[in-house]
Amino acid sequence: MAKVPWILAALALAIGVLLDLIAPEPYTGLPLLAAAPLVAGATLSFRAALAVVCVTCVVSVAVDIERRRPATPLLVDLAVVGLIGILALGVNRLIVRQGRDLALARDVAEAVQRAVLPHPPREVGPLDVAAGYTAAQAEAQIGGDFYAVQETPFGVRMIIGDVRGKGIAAVAAVSVAIGAFRQEAEYTPTLVTLAERMDEAMARAAARGGPLISTEGFATAVLAEVSADGELLSLVNRGHPPPYLVHDGQFVRLDPTLPQLPLGVGLGDLAPPGPVSVDTVRLPPGASLLLVTDGVTEARDRRGVFYDPVRSDRMRRSFKDPETLVDALTKDVGRWTEGDHEDDMAILAVTRRRPAHPT
Protein backbone atom coordinates (compact mmCIF):
# COMPACT_ATOMS: atom_id res chain seq x y z
CA MET A 1 0.00 0.00 0.00
CA ALA A 2 2.93 2.39 0.61
CA LYS A 3 3.84 2.21 -3.09
CA VAL A 4 0.39 3.22 -4.34
CA PRO A 5 0.90 7.03 -3.99
CA TRP A 6 4.19 6.80 -5.88
CA ILE A 7 2.54 4.76 -8.61
CA LEU A 8 -0.34 7.26 -8.95
CA ALA A 9 2.03 10.24 -9.14
CA ALA A 10 4.28 8.50 -11.67
CA LEU A 11 1.27 7.41 -13.72
CA ALA A 12 -0.13 10.95 -13.87
CA LEU A 13 3.29 12.26 -14.88
CA ALA A 14 3.83 9.61 -17.57
CA ILE A 15 0.37 9.99 -19.12
CA GLY A 16 0.75 13.78 -19.07
CA VAL A 17 4.07 13.54 -20.95
CA LEU A 18 2.58 11.06 -23.43
CA LEU A 19 -0.39 13.30 -24.20
CA ASP A 20 1.88 16.29 -24.54
CA LEU A 21 3.98 14.46 -27.11
CA ILE A 22 1.24 12.85 -29.22
CA ALA A 23 -1.81 15.08 -28.76
CA PRO A 24 -2.48 17.58 -31.54
CA GLU A 25 -2.33 21.28 -30.79
CA PRO A 26 -3.80 23.02 -28.85
CA TYR A 27 -4.40 19.97 -26.61
CA THR A 28 -1.67 19.15 -24.08
CA GLY A 29 -1.11 16.90 -21.11
CA LEU A 30 -0.64 19.83 -18.74
CA PRO A 31 -3.63 18.94 -16.46
CA LEU A 32 -2.23 15.48 -15.78
CA LEU A 33 1.28 16.89 -15.30
CA ALA A 34 -0.16 19.24 -12.69
CA ALA A 35 -2.03 16.37 -11.04
CA ALA A 36 1.21 14.59 -10.17
CA PRO A 37 2.26 17.20 -7.53
CA LEU A 38 -1.26 17.18 -6.08
CA VAL A 39 -1.18 13.42 -5.63
CA ALA A 40 2.27 13.61 -4.08
CA GLY A 41 1.37 16.48 -1.77
CA ALA A 42 -1.71 14.69 -0.42
CA THR A 43 -0.14 11.25 0.06
CA LEU A 44 3.67 11.47 0.37
CA SER A 45 6.11 13.08 2.78
CA PHE A 46 7.15 16.71 2.30
CA ARG A 47 10.55 15.81 0.85
CA ALA A 48 9.05 13.27 -1.53
CA ALA A 49 6.37 15.74 -2.61
CA LEU A 50 9.01 18.43 -3.17
CA ALA A 51 11.01 16.03 -5.35
CA VAL A 52 7.89 15.26 -7.43
CA VAL A 53 7.20 19.00 -7.85
CA CYS A 54 10.74 19.65 -9.05
CA VAL A 55 10.69 16.68 -11.44
CA THR A 56 7.32 17.78 -12.83
CA CYS A 57 8.60 21.31 -13.48
CA VAL A 58 11.67 19.96 -15.27
CA VAL A 59 9.56 17.55 -17.32
CA SER A 60 7.14 20.34 -18.29
CA VAL A 61 9.98 22.52 -19.58
CA ALA A 62 11.61 19.58 -21.38
CA VAL A 63 8.39 18.60 -23.16
CA ASP A 64 7.72 22.18 -24.27
CA ILE A 65 11.26 22.41 -25.64
CA GLU A 66 10.82 19.08 -27.40
CA ARG A 67 7.60 20.36 -28.99
CA ARG A 68 9.42 23.61 -29.89
CA ARG A 69 6.84 25.77 -28.20
CA PRO A 70 7.56 29.49 -27.92
CA ALA A 71 8.95 30.96 -24.73
CA THR A 72 5.62 32.42 -23.58
CA PRO A 73 3.65 29.10 -23.53
CA LEU A 74 6.69 27.42 -21.97
CA LEU A 75 6.78 29.93 -19.12
CA VAL A 76 3.00 29.77 -18.68
CA ASP A 77 3.10 25.96 -18.41
CA LEU A 78 5.98 26.18 -15.94
CA ALA A 79 4.13 28.78 -13.87
CA VAL A 80 0.97 26.65 -13.75
CA VAL A 81 2.85 23.51 -12.70
CA GLY A 82 4.94 25.44 -10.19
CA LEU A 83 1.94 27.19 -8.62
CA ILE A 84 0.04 23.92 -8.26
CA GLY A 85 3.18 22.34 -6.82
CA ILE A 86 3.44 25.08 -4.19
CA LEU A 87 -0.23 24.57 -3.30
CA ALA A 88 0.38 20.82 -3.05
CA LEU A 89 3.27 21.41 -0.64
CA GLY A 90 1.03 23.66 1.46
CA VAL A 91 -1.63 20.94 1.56
CA ASN A 92 1.06 18.47 2.61
CA ARG A 93 2.04 20.64 5.59
CA LEU A 94 -1.61 20.99 6.64
CA ILE A 95 -2.14 17.22 6.46
CA VAL A 96 0.99 16.59 8.53
CA ARG A 97 -0.10 19.14 11.14
CA GLN A 98 -3.58 17.66 11.36
CA GLY A 99 -2.07 14.20 11.75
CA ARG A 100 0.04 15.41 14.67
CA ASP A 101 -2.98 17.08 16.27
CA LEU A 102 -5.02 13.90 15.88
CA ALA A 103 -2.25 11.78 17.38
CA LEU A 104 -1.99 14.19 20.32
CA ALA A 105 -5.77 14.07 20.83
CA ARG A 106 -5.67 10.27 20.83
CA ASP A 107 -2.84 10.24 23.36
CA VAL A 108 -4.73 12.63 25.63
CA ALA A 109 -7.92 10.59 25.30
CA GLU A 110 -6.07 7.38 26.13
CA ALA A 111 -4.47 9.04 29.16
CA VAL A 112 -7.89 10.24 30.34
CA GLN A 113 -9.29 6.76 29.78
CA ARG A 114 -6.55 5.16 31.87
CA ALA A 115 -6.95 7.76 34.63
CA VAL A 116 -10.75 7.61 34.83
CA LEU A 117 -11.16 3.94 34.01
CA PRO A 118 -8.05 1.98 34.99
CA HIS A 119 -7.92 -1.69 34.16
CA PRO A 120 -9.08 -3.79 37.14
CA PRO A 121 -6.64 -6.15 38.91
CA ARG A 122 -6.49 -9.71 37.65
CA GLU A 123 -7.20 -11.16 41.11
CA VAL A 124 -9.38 -9.72 43.88
CA GLY A 125 -10.22 -11.81 46.94
CA PRO A 126 -11.61 -15.19 45.81
CA LEU A 127 -12.17 -13.93 42.25
CA ASP A 128 -10.28 -13.77 38.98
CA VAL A 129 -11.15 -10.61 37.04
CA ALA A 130 -11.11 -9.57 33.37
CA ALA A 131 -12.58 -6.62 31.51
CA GLY A 132 -12.91 -5.36 27.95
CA TYR A 133 -13.88 -2.01 26.46
CA THR A 134 -14.80 -0.97 22.93
CA ALA A 135 -15.69 2.68 22.37
CA ALA A 136 -18.24 3.70 19.76
CA GLN A 137 -15.98 6.63 18.82
CA ALA A 138 -12.92 4.65 17.85
CA GLU A 139 -10.89 7.80 17.13
CA ALA A 140 -11.35 9.03 20.69
CA GLN A 141 -10.79 5.67 22.41
CA ILE A 142 -13.13 6.72 25.20
CA GLY A 143 -16.83 6.46 25.81
CA GLY A 144 -19.60 6.56 28.38
CA ASP A 145 -19.39 3.03 29.80
CA PHE A 146 -17.53 2.31 33.03
CA TYR A 147 -16.68 -0.48 35.45
CA ALA A 148 -14.74 -0.96 38.66
CA VAL A 149 -13.82 -3.79 41.03
CA GLN A 150 -12.78 -3.17 44.62
CA GLU A 151 -12.06 -5.34 47.65
CA THR A 152 -13.80 -3.93 50.74
CA PRO A 153 -14.43 -5.01 54.35
CA PHE A 154 -17.84 -6.26 53.17
CA GLY A 155 -16.54 -8.41 50.32
CA VAL A 156 -15.55 -7.79 46.74
CA ARG A 157 -17.73 -5.08 45.25
CA MET A 158 -18.01 -4.19 41.61
CA ILE A 159 -20.02 -1.96 39.32
CA ILE A 160 -20.70 -1.67 35.63
CA GLY A 161 -22.65 1.22 34.17
CA ASP A 162 -23.45 3.45 31.25
CA VAL A 163 -23.80 7.21 31.44
CA ARG A 164 -25.92 9.14 28.98
CA GLY A 165 -23.95 10.19 25.92
CA LYS A 166 -20.69 9.10 24.27
CA GLY A 167 -17.14 10.28 23.82
CA ILE A 168 -15.44 13.11 25.68
CA ALA A 169 -18.76 14.61 26.81
CA ALA A 170 -19.40 11.55 28.99
CA VAL A 171 -16.06 11.69 30.85
CA ALA A 172 -17.31 14.04 33.60
CA ALA A 173 -20.25 11.81 34.51
CA VAL A 174 -18.04 8.70 34.41
CA SER A 175 -15.51 10.30 36.76
CA VAL A 176 -18.26 11.22 39.24
CA ALA A 177 -19.75 7.71 39.17
CA ILE A 178 -16.40 5.92 39.56
CA GLY A 179 -15.23 8.34 42.26
CA ALA A 180 -18.43 7.96 44.25
CA PHE A 181 -18.28 4.17 44.00
CA ARG A 182 -14.66 3.89 45.14
CA GLN A 183 -15.23 6.25 48.04
CA GLU A 184 -18.50 4.85 49.35
CA ALA A 185 -17.81 1.15 48.70
CA GLU A 186 -15.24 1.12 51.53
CA TYR A 187 -17.59 2.41 54.23
CA THR A 188 -21.18 1.70 53.18
CA PRO A 189 -22.41 -1.56 54.74
CA THR A 190 -25.08 -2.48 52.16
CA LEU A 191 -25.44 -2.30 48.40
CA VAL A 192 -28.73 -0.43 48.76
CA THR A 193 -27.07 2.35 50.73
CA LEU A 194 -24.14 2.36 48.32
CA ALA A 195 -26.52 2.88 45.40
CA GLU A 196 -28.30 5.67 47.29
CA ARG A 197 -24.99 7.45 48.02
CA MET A 198 -23.98 7.20 44.37
CA ASP A 199 -27.40 8.48 43.34
CA GLU A 200 -26.97 11.52 45.59
CA ALA A 201 -23.44 12.19 44.32
CA MET A 202 -24.47 12.09 40.67
CA ALA A 203 -27.58 14.21 41.31
CA ARG A 204 -25.48 16.87 43.06
CA ALA A 205 -22.90 16.89 40.25
CA ALA A 206 -25.65 17.18 37.65
CA ALA A 207 -27.34 20.03 39.51
CA ARG A 208 -24.07 21.98 39.70
CA GLY A 209 -23.61 21.55 35.96
CA GLY A 210 -26.76 23.48 35.00
CA PRO A 211 -29.95 22.45 33.16
CA LEU A 212 -28.17 20.91 30.15
CA ILE A 213 -25.88 18.75 32.25
CA SER A 214 -28.64 17.81 34.68
CA THR A 215 -30.59 16.20 31.86
CA GLU A 216 -27.59 14.05 30.86
CA GLY A 217 -25.89 13.32 34.18
CA PHE A 218 -27.51 9.99 34.99
CA ALA A 219 -26.30 6.45 34.54
CA THR A 220 -27.71 2.97 34.50
CA ALA A 221 -25.69 0.56 36.61
CA VAL A 222 -25.49 -2.86 38.22
CA LEU A 223 -23.81 -3.05 41.62
CA ALA A 224 -22.61 -6.47 42.74
CA GLU A 225 -21.05 -7.86 45.88
CA VAL A 226 -19.37 -11.23 46.37
CA SER A 227 -18.91 -12.40 49.94
CA ALA A 228 -15.42 -12.88 51.32
CA ASP A 229 -15.66 -16.66 50.88
CA GLY A 230 -16.99 -16.26 47.32
CA GLU A 231 -20.16 -18.19 48.11
CA LEU A 232 -22.88 -15.53 47.83
CA LEU A 233 -23.50 -12.98 45.09
CA SER A 234 -25.70 -9.94 45.77
CA LEU A 235 -27.00 -7.64 43.03
CA VAL A 236 -28.72 -4.24 42.84
CA ASN A 237 -29.82 -3.24 39.35
CA ARG A 238 -30.46 0.44 38.65
CA GLY A 239 -32.06 0.31 35.22
CA HIS A 240 -29.19 -1.55 33.56
CA PRO A 241 -29.12 -4.67 31.32
CA PRO A 242 -29.15 -7.73 33.60
CA PRO A 243 -25.91 -9.63 34.20
CA TYR A 244 -25.42 -13.33 33.49
CA LEU A 245 -24.33 -16.26 35.59
CA VAL A 246 -22.07 -18.44 33.44
CA HIS A 247 -21.39 -21.98 34.60
CA ASP A 248 -20.72 -25.28 32.80
CA GLY A 249 -21.49 -23.77 29.38
CA GLN A 250 -24.84 -22.32 30.49
CA PHE A 251 -25.86 -18.65 30.54
CA VAL A 252 -28.50 -17.66 33.10
CA ARG A 253 -29.76 -14.08 32.95
CA LEU A 254 -30.16 -12.56 36.41
CA ASP A 255 -33.17 -10.30 36.01
CA PRO A 256 -33.92 -7.95 38.94
CA THR A 257 -36.85 -8.78 41.19
CA LEU A 258 -37.97 -5.14 41.18
CA PRO A 259 -36.97 -2.63 38.45
CA GLN A 260 -35.22 0.51 39.71
CA LEU A 261 -34.49 3.94 38.24
CA PRO A 262 -30.99 4.85 37.01
CA LEU A 263 -28.46 6.60 39.21
CA GLY A 264 -28.64 10.39 39.27
CA VAL A 265 -32.26 10.65 38.18
CA GLY A 266 -33.46 11.58 41.67
CA LEU A 267 -36.03 9.21 43.10
CA GLY A 268 -38.67 11.43 44.66
CA ASP A 269 -42.24 10.42 43.81
CA LEU A 270 -40.98 8.28 40.92
CA ALA A 271 -39.43 5.69 43.21
CA PRO A 272 -41.14 2.27 43.21
CA PRO A 273 -43.10 1.51 46.39
CA GLY A 274 -41.54 -0.69 49.05
CA PRO A 275 -37.90 -1.37 49.91
CA VAL A 276 -35.22 -1.57 47.24
CA SER A 277 -34.62 -5.20 46.40
CA VAL A 278 -31.27 -6.94 46.68
CA ASP A 279 -31.14 -10.17 44.68
CA THR A 280 -28.88 -12.88 46.12
CA VAL A 281 -27.74 -16.02 44.33
CA ARG A 282 -25.12 -18.67 44.97
CA LEU A 283 -21.84 -18.43 43.05
CA PRO A 284 -20.46 -21.97 42.62
CA PRO A 285 -16.70 -22.58 42.32
CA GLY A 286 -15.65 -22.07 38.72
CA ALA A 287 -18.77 -20.03 37.90
CA SER A 288 -18.51 -16.55 36.39
CA LEU A 289 -20.53 -13.39 36.77
CA LEU A 290 -20.71 -11.60 33.41
CA LEU A 291 -21.70 -7.93 33.46
CA VAL A 292 -22.24 -6.04 30.20
CA THR A 293 -23.53 -2.71 28.93
CA ASP A 294 -26.17 -2.10 26.28
CA GLY A 295 -23.46 -2.06 23.62
CA VAL A 296 -23.67 -5.85 23.92
CA THR A 297 -27.39 -6.41 24.46
CA GLU A 298 -28.43 -3.87 21.79
CA ALA A 299 -25.91 -4.93 19.16
CA ARG A 300 -27.76 -5.77 15.92
CA ASP A 301 -27.02 -7.79 12.84
CA ARG A 302 -27.96 -6.82 9.29
CA ARG A 303 -31.57 -7.87 9.87
CA GLY A 304 -31.86 -5.70 12.96
CA VAL A 305 -31.94 -8.67 15.37
CA PHE A 306 -30.49 -7.97 18.82
CA TYR A 307 -27.58 -10.02 20.08
CA ASP A 308 -28.28 -12.43 22.94
CA PRO A 309 -25.43 -14.49 24.44
CA VAL A 310 -27.95 -16.97 25.86
CA ARG A 311 -28.95 -18.00 22.33
CA SER A 312 -25.48 -17.87 20.78
CA ASP A 313 -24.12 -21.27 19.83
CA ARG A 314 -20.55 -19.96 19.99
CA MET A 315 -20.93 -19.13 23.68
CA ARG A 316 -22.26 -22.54 24.74
CA ARG A 317 -19.01 -23.86 26.12
CA SER A 318 -17.00 -23.80 29.31
CA PHE A 319 -14.52 -20.99 29.90
CA LYS A 320 -11.38 -21.65 31.88
CA ASP A 321 -10.99 -18.07 33.07
CA PRO A 322 -12.78 -14.70 32.82
CA GLU A 323 -10.31 -13.38 30.26
CA THR A 324 -11.29 -16.14 27.84
CA LEU A 325 -14.96 -15.35 28.47
CA VAL A 326 -14.52 -11.63 27.78
CA ASP A 327 -12.49 -12.28 24.64
CA ALA A 328 -15.02 -14.81 23.31
CA LEU A 329 -17.95 -12.47 23.93
CA THR A 330 -16.20 -9.50 22.31
CA LYS A 331 -15.43 -11.54 19.19
CA ASP A 332 -18.94 -12.99 19.07
CA VAL A 333 -20.53 -9.53 19.21
CA GLY A 334 -18.11 -8.36 16.52
CA ARG A 335 -19.15 -11.24 14.27
CA TRP A 336 -22.82 -10.52 14.94
CA THR A 337 -22.52 -6.83 14.01
CA GLU A 338 -19.76 -7.34 11.43
CA GLY A 339 -17.61 -4.87 13.32
CA ASP A 340 -20.17 -2.04 13.27
CA HIS A 341 -20.36 -0.85 16.89
CA GLU A 342 -23.03 1.82 17.27
CA ASP A 343 -22.61 2.16 21.03
CA ASP A 344 -19.89 1.84 23.64
CA MET A 345 -19.41 -1.73 24.81
CA ALA A 346 -18.01 -2.65 28.22
CA ILE A 347 -17.66 -6.19 29.54
CA LEU A 348 -16.67 -7.18 33.07
CA ALA A 349 -16.31 -10.83 34.12
CA VAL A 350 -15.35 -12.29 37.49
CA THR A 351 -14.82 -16.00 38.12
CA ARG A 352 -14.80 -17.68 41.52
CA ARG A 353 -11.59 -19.65 41.78
CA ARG A 354 -11.86 -23.35 42.45
CA PRO A 355 -10.30 -24.51 45.73
CA ALA A 356 -6.77 -25.84 45.39
CA HIS A 357 -7.65 -28.88 47.53
CA PRO A 358 -11.37 -29.57 47.13
CA THR A 359 -12.98 -31.53 49.94
Side-chain angles (χ1 to χ4, degrees):
M1 294 297 293
K3 296 181 179 180
V4 172
W6 282 105
I7 294 175
L8 292 176
L11 191 61
L13 189 62
I15 295 178
V17 171
L18 183 63
L19 291 177
D20 244 337
L21 293 175
I22 67 175
E25 297 291 350
Y27 303 106
T28 68
L30 185 63
L32 279 173
L33 282 177
L38 286 178
V39 173
T43 57
L44 299 176
S45 66
F46 182 82
R47 290 184 177 181
L50 179 60
V52 172
V53 171
C54 294
V55 169
T56 305
C57 291
V58 172
V59 168
S60 176
V61 172
V63 170
D64 284 346
I65 293 175
E66 173 66 24
R67 295 299 301 271
R68 298 180 180 180
R69 291 193 177 105
T72 300
L74 185 150
L75 293 176
V76 170
D77 290 349
L78 178 62
V80 170
V81 173
L83 178 60
I84 293 178
I86 293 173
L87 293 176
L89 294 177
V91 170
N92 181 275
R93 301 310 298 171
L94 289 176
I95 292 175
V96 171
R97 182 180 301 174
Q98 288 179 349
R100 286 199 299 262
D101 292 343
L102 179 58
L104 178 61
R106 287 179 174 174
D107 291 341
V108 171
E110 290 177 1
V112 171
Q113 182 83 335
R114 289 192 296 269
V116 176
L117 196 64
H119 204 75
R122 297 177 63 89
E123 296 182 2
V124 180
L127 305 174
D128 293 330
V129 184
Y133 194 100
T134 304
Q137 296 180 353
E139 295 81 4
Q141 294 296 319
I142 192 168
D145 292 0
F146 61 92
Y147 48 76
V149 180
Q150 189 165 327
E151 189 169 14
T152 73
F154 314 101
V156 179
R157 287 178 169 176
M158 64 205 78
I159 185 173
I160 190 166
D162 181 7
V163 304
R164 181 184 175 96
K166 302 182 181 70
I168 301 299
V171 174
V174 169
S175 64
V176 171
I178 291 292
F181 170 80
R182 293 199 179 279
Q183 171 67 24
E184 299 297 340
E186 288 288 335
Y187 307 103
T188 307
T190 67
L191 284 184
V192 173
T193 307
L194 174 58
E196 291 174 351
R197 298 282 177 83
M198 291 187 63
D199 185 81
E200 294 170 359
M202 295 195 68
R204 287 195 303 267
R208 287 194 297 267
L212 178 61
I213 302 300
S214 64
T215 61
E216 299 183 355
F218 67 87
T220 64
V222 170
L223 292 93
E225 178 184 290
V226 177
S227 59
D229 60 3
E231 184 71 21
L232 293 180
L233 167 65
S234 302
L235 298 168
V236 170
N237 193 325
R238 297 296 297 269
H240 196 75
Y244 302 88
L245 183 64
V246 184
H247 188 46
D248 291 337
Q250 299 295 321
F251 276 72
V252 179
R253 195 173 67 180
L254 303 176
D255 293 306
T257 303
L258 183 65
Q260 299 292 323
L261 293 174
L263 299 172
V265 172
L267 298 180
D269 297 334
L270 298 176
V276 177
S277 64
V278 178
D279 298 304
T280 303
V281 297
R282 182 176 175 270
L283 187 64
S288 298
L289 174 67
L290 177 65
L291 303 107
V292 301
T293 58
D294 57 5
V296 174
T297 57
E298 295 182 4
R300 303 188 188 190
D301 62 5
R302 288 185 176 182
R303 300 168 297 172
V305 179
F306 290 110
Y307 175 79
D308 186 357
V310 176
R311 297 182 299 192
S312 175
D313 294 335
R314 295 179 181 271
M315 301 301 294
R316 293 177 184 174
R317 60 186 179 92
S318 298
F319 299 95
K320 61 180 181 179
D321 53 51
E323 187 173 354
T324 305
L325 174 58
V326 170
D327 184 63
L329 183 62
T330 302
K331 292 180 179 179
D332 200 33
V333 174
R335 281 189 290 262
W336 184 265
T337 63
E338 298 181 356
D340 184 16
H341 296 286
E342 297 182 358
D343 199 359
D344 304 325
M345 183 175 71
I347 304 171
L348 177 64
V350 296
T351 302
R352 181 185 174 188
R353 288 193 293 273
R354 298 182 185 273
H357 303 286
T359 57

